[in-house]
């Protein structure tokens, strides 16, 4: 069997010693399409940031087949300064970073690819528009176009369809499915259980602790979701030191 | 008085006016784009804080050199400015204090120490020179220093442009692709301090940020793309410098503040007349069909 794209080994990630992700083990097969589900505060974004190498594990380890620098990563959109005077095409073309780096030239070929990516996400003719003039949906399409340009073998999406209308969501899900068809490994945090059941063969259900990880229909059961809700709400300021052996 | 007498003769007749004009050109080319990036990074007031932080170093340089040596003061200012920027960065990373809060603390400490040093040893005239600058007293050495700083700045901006721009609007992306955001930020802060040192020679610590931030604000009112903003900031900074020098020569005004007032006049006009300024709020234009 192929080595997995990403393997989590007893992963624990903490904020001020409180675990946000607690003793999670498992692996993402190459070319798998996985949804990460769980209630608010369940550690979904924390898990993604750990996978991206932005947070260091408090315990355990993450094994990656390729460096996380070569992943395509879409964080929750709030991190981007939308008032910055940069055009749609320039935003998309930053996706060529892996090939051009900080100093390399970006030639006509990359610009052509960026224009094609804009067509693919339904933003034909938006090249010169400043990003500040885009709607939330158009902006998310722009970020997907950049992911297309990044041409990454692993793609990590954090709530990609939040505050996006149904038509845009459908278009973007089509792109996710296209990536899956091309053999890329895709992981997405999602809140809509229907979307998860309809499009994502694999699910990782988390509520700080791992509730289940496997084929979606086995994981997204009523009992599991109920357990996830109960676990995520538990919080003890004076919790004792975790006794699970490393 | 002919147009030649009014606009050109002062620079033909006096070497100090020529050097002042070249200093203004250098500041326009270096400090104005840096100011534009500062305000794009929402750090406008940090430039102000840093400019005050330069003072104790300049004062110590003045004491060591024993006279109003711009080079010694420049090197002292550079060390002081960089120390404050570094300390503020370290403190904000190690403690709960945000970078702006630690900046405010350090620049106040630095400013107080600087004024103490100057008042201890220097005369009031010297204090005025340090606070308000001596653009008409810029000698060839000082001009070389300013020119070197400007050249370094333009080179650094050209090389770092892409990561710097990405770090301004999407630092998370730069982090994800391993683009060394903290290094870029550090180099940018180094450029800010260098340009403050150049600018402080001409305009003094109180107004050193004047040719940095006013042109940047003007540029944002007129332009909608970053390259246009950078160009407009350079042009308005140089026009302010030129107009300020001419006005201060003919009206016998202090040159540093006159230059900043010239920039301020352009700023106020822009506030009213620019496409995204006040006037656009009151002139109703019919809306478009699509």
């Amino acid at each position: 069997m192929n080595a997995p794209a990403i393997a989590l080994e007893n992963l624990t990630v903490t904020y001020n010693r409180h675990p946000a992700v607690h003793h999670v083990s498992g692996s993402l097969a190459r070319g798998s399409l996985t949804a990460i589900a769980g209630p608010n505060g369940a550690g979904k974004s924390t898990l993604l940031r750990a996978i991206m190498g932005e947070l260091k594990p408090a315990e355990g380890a993450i094994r990656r087949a390729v460096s996380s620098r070569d992943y395509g990563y879409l964080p929750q959109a709030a991190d981007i300064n939308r008032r910055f005077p940069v055009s749609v095409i320039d935003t998309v073309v930053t996706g060529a970073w892996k090939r051009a780096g900080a100093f390399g030239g970006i030639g006509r070929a990359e610009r052509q690819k960026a224009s094609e990516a804009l067509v693919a996400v339904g933003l034909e003719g938006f090249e010169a528009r400043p990003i500040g003039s885009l709607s939330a949906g158009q902006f998310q399409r722009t970020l997907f176009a950049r992911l297309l340009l990044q041409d990454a073998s692993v793609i990590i999406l954090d709530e990609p369809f939040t505050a996006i209308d149904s038509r845009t969501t459908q278009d973007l899900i089509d792109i996710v499915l296209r990536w899956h068809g091309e053999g890329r490994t895709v992981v997405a945090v999602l809140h809509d259980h229907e979307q998860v059941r309809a499009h994502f063969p694999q699910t990782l259900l988390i509520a700080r602790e791992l509730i289940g990880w496997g084929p979606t229909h086995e994981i997204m059961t009523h009992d599991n979701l109920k357990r996830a809700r109960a676990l995520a709400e538990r919080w003890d300021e004076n919790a004792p030191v975790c006794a699970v052996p490393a | 008085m002919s147009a030649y007498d009014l606009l050109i003769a002062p620079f033909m007749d006096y070497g100090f006016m020529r050097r002042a004009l070249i200093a203004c050109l250098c500041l326009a080319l270096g400090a104005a784009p840096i100011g534009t990036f500062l305000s794009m990074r929402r750090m406008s007031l940090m430039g102000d804080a840093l400019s005050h932080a330069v003072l104790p170093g300049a004062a110590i340089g003045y004491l060591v050199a024993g006279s109003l040596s711009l080079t010694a003061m420049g090197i002292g200012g550079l060390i002081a400015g960089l120390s404050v920027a570094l300390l503020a960065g370290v403190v904000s990373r190690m403690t709960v204090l945000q970078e702006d809060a630690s900046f405010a603390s350090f620049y106040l400490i630095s400013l107080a120490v600087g004024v103490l040093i100057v008042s201890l040893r220097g005369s009031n005239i010297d204090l005025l020179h340090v606070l308000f600058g001596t653009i008409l007293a810029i000698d060839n050495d000082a001009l070389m220093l300013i020119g070197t700083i400007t050249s370094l700045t333009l080179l650094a901006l050209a090389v770092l442009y892409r990561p710097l721009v990405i770090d301004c609007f999407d630092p998370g992306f730069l982090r994800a692709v391993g683009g060394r955001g903290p290094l870029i930020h550090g180099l940018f802060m180094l450029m800010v301090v260098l340009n403050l040192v150049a600018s402080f020679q001409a305009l003094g610590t109180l107004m050193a940020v004047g040719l940095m931030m006013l042109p940047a604000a003007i540029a944002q009112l007129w332009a909608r793309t970053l390259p246009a903003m950078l160009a407009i900031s350079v042009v308005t900074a140089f026009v302010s410098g030129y107009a300020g020098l001419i006005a201060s020569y003919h009206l016998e005004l202090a040159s540093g503040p006159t230059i900043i007032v010239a920039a301020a006049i352009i700023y106020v006009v822009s506030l009213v007349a620019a496409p995204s300024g006040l006037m656009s709020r009151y002139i109703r234009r019919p809306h478009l069909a699509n």
Side-chain angles (χ1 to χ4, degrees):
Chain A
M1 202 183 131
N2 272 346
I6 299 169
L8 311 180
E9 293 171 1
N10 190 31
L11 178 71
T12 295
V13 187
T14 58
Y15 295 112
N16 286 325
R17 298 177 66 211
H18 288 281
V21 170
H22 208 182
H23 300 297
V24 172
S25 294
S27 61
L28 292 159
R30 274 183 208 202
S32 60
L33 174 56
T34 308
I36 299 184
N40 284 325
K44 303 184 295 295
S45 295
T46 304
L47 178 59
L48 291 193
R49 292 182 62 197
I51 288 174
M52 286 306 298
E54 286 188 7
L55 297 172
K56 293 261 166 293
E59 215 178 293
I62 303 169
R63 312 249 173 254
R64 303 176 183 86
V66 295
S67 158
S68 66
R69 284 181 185 182
D70 294 332
Y71 293 0
Y73 177 43
L74 183 66
Q76 288 184 20
D79 296 344
I80 298 176
N81 176 8
R82 295 270 305 273
R83 296 180 60 185
F84 192 82
V86 63
S87 65
V88 168
I89 191 79
D90 282 347
T91 306
V92 173
V93 99
T94 57
W97 181 279
K98 193 170 63 175
R99 297 178 293 278
F103 314 121
I106 290 180
R108 197 176 295 165
E110 293 287 1
R111 299 210 157 253
Q112 181 61 32
K113 269 194 221 165
S115 288
E116 284 163 15
L118 279 180
V119 173
V121 298
L123 286 182
E124 199 171 0
F126 277 65
E127 276 85 350
R129 288 271 292 272
I131 57 169
S133 70
L134 301 180
S135 71
Q138 290 166 341
F139 186 61
Q140 200 69 348
R141 287 173 189 260
T142 304
L143 295 180
F144 265 75
R146 173 162 80 181
L147 284 170
L148 281 171
L149 205 68
Q150 274 184 270
D151 193 22
S153 63
V154 179
I155 296 166
I156 314 264
L157 309 168
D158 196 349
E159 300 195 19
F161 311 129
T162 305
I164 305 290
D165 68 17
S166 58
R167 190 170 146 229
T168 305
T169 302
Q170 192 51 55
D171 287 355
L172 296 183
I173 285 180
D174 287 346
I175 289 175
V176 169
L177 295 176
R178 184 177 129 193
W179 283 328
H180 181 50
E182 290 166 348
R184 301 176 204 268
T185 311
V186 183
V187 185
V189 166
L190 292 178
H191 276 301
D192 185 331
H193 294 166
E194 293 313 311
Q195 278 169 8
V196 174
R197 290 197 180 95
H199 304 292
F200 287 74
Q202 299 282 314
T203 298
L204 187 170
L205 182 60
I206 187 175
R208 277 184 264 165
E209 332 232 324
L210 188 62
I211 307 286
W213 190 347
T216 298
H217 62 94
E218 289 173 20
I219 303 299
M220 295 294 277
T221 61
H222 182 72
D223 284 353
N224 275 345
L225 292 171
K226 207 168 123 188
R227 239 179 88 212
R229 266 197 302 279
L231 265 179
E233 283 158 10
R234 213 169 57 191
W235 172 256
D236 184 356
E237 184 60 44
N238 301 307
V241 170
C242 174
V244 178
Chain B
M1 188 185 273
S2 68
Y4 175 84
D5 291 335
L6 190 67
L7 302 176
I8 297 170
F11 301 105
M12 303 301 284
D13 297 345
Y14 296 103
F16 69 85
M17 286 294 282
R18 280 199 292 280
R19 281 192 291 275
L21 189 67
I22 291 171
C24 284
L25 179 63
C26 290
L27 290 180
L29 284 170
I34 291 291
T36 306
F37 274 106
L38 261 181
S39 78
M40 284 291 114
R41 295 167 82 87
R42 300 173 181 172
M43 292 170 60
S44 297
L45 290 175
M46 243 172 245
D48 196 38
L50 263 182
S51 74
H52 295 325
V54 166
L55 184 61
I60 291 171
Y62 165 76
L63 285 188
V64 171
S67 69
L68 211 64
S69 155
L70 288 178
T71 315
M73 291 165 68
I75 292 168
L78 183 62
I79 294 170
L82 284 180
S83 312
V84 167
L86 267 179
L87 278 173
V90 168
V91 165
S92 68
R93 237 143 263 204
M94 306 285 214
T95 70
V96 293
L97 291 174
Q98 294 284 312
E99 192 158 23
D100 59 338
S102 43
F103 247 102
S105 319
F106 280 113
Y107 104 76
L108 282 168
I109 297 167
S110 197
L111 183 62
V113 172
V115 173
L116 266 181
I117 293 173
V118 176
S119 66
L120 211 59
R121 294 292 299 276
S123 67
N124 282 339
I125 301 292
D126 296 332
L127 182 61
L128 282 181
H129 275 309
V130 175
L131 289 180
F132 297 115
T134 50
I135 190 159
L136 296 181
I138 284 180
D139 53 19
N140 283 340
D141 287 347
L143 204 53
M144 283 300 288
L145 181 66
I146 295 175
T148 306
I149 288 173
T150 300
S151 308
L152 283 176
T153 304
L154 289 176
L155 201 64
L157 277 181
V159 171
L160 298 178
Y161 188 78
R162 186 180 303 155
L164 190 58
V165 166
I166 298 178
D167 196 38
C168 285
F169 84 98
D170 194 356
F173 177 78
L174 197 65
R175 199 163 52 235
V177 297
R180 297 168 188 273
L183 176 68
I184 302 295
H185 180 72
L187 289 173
F188 177 70
M189 291 310 281
L190 173 64
M191 283 190 275
V192 173
V193 174
L194 279 172
N195 278 279
L196 282 171
V197 167
S199 183
F200 127 82
Q201 315 243 345
L203 302 166
T205 56
L206 274 185
M207 281 173 294
V209 282
L211 276 189
M212 214 176 247
M213 300 322 299
L214 277 172
I218 293 163
Q220 283 177 69
L221 286 166
W222 289 98
R224 289 184 67 189
T225 67
L226 188 62
M229 275 180 200
L230 294 172
I232 291 176
S233 72
V234 169
V235 172
T236 48
F238 181 63
V239 169
S240 311
Y242 172 77
L245 284 176
I246 288 281
S248 75
Y249 176 85
H250 291 297
L251 305 174
E252 290 173 29
L253 298 169
S255 52
T258 313
I259 289 170
I260 304 302
V261 167
I265 290 170
I266 301 177
Y267 173 66
V268 172
V269 170
S270 303
L271 267 187
V272 177
S276 46
L278 292 175
M279 217 120 91
S280 63
R281 287 179 165 251
Y282 297 105
I283 297 178
R284 288 180 67 98
R285 294 168 66 197
H287 68 268
L288 305 174
N290 190 359

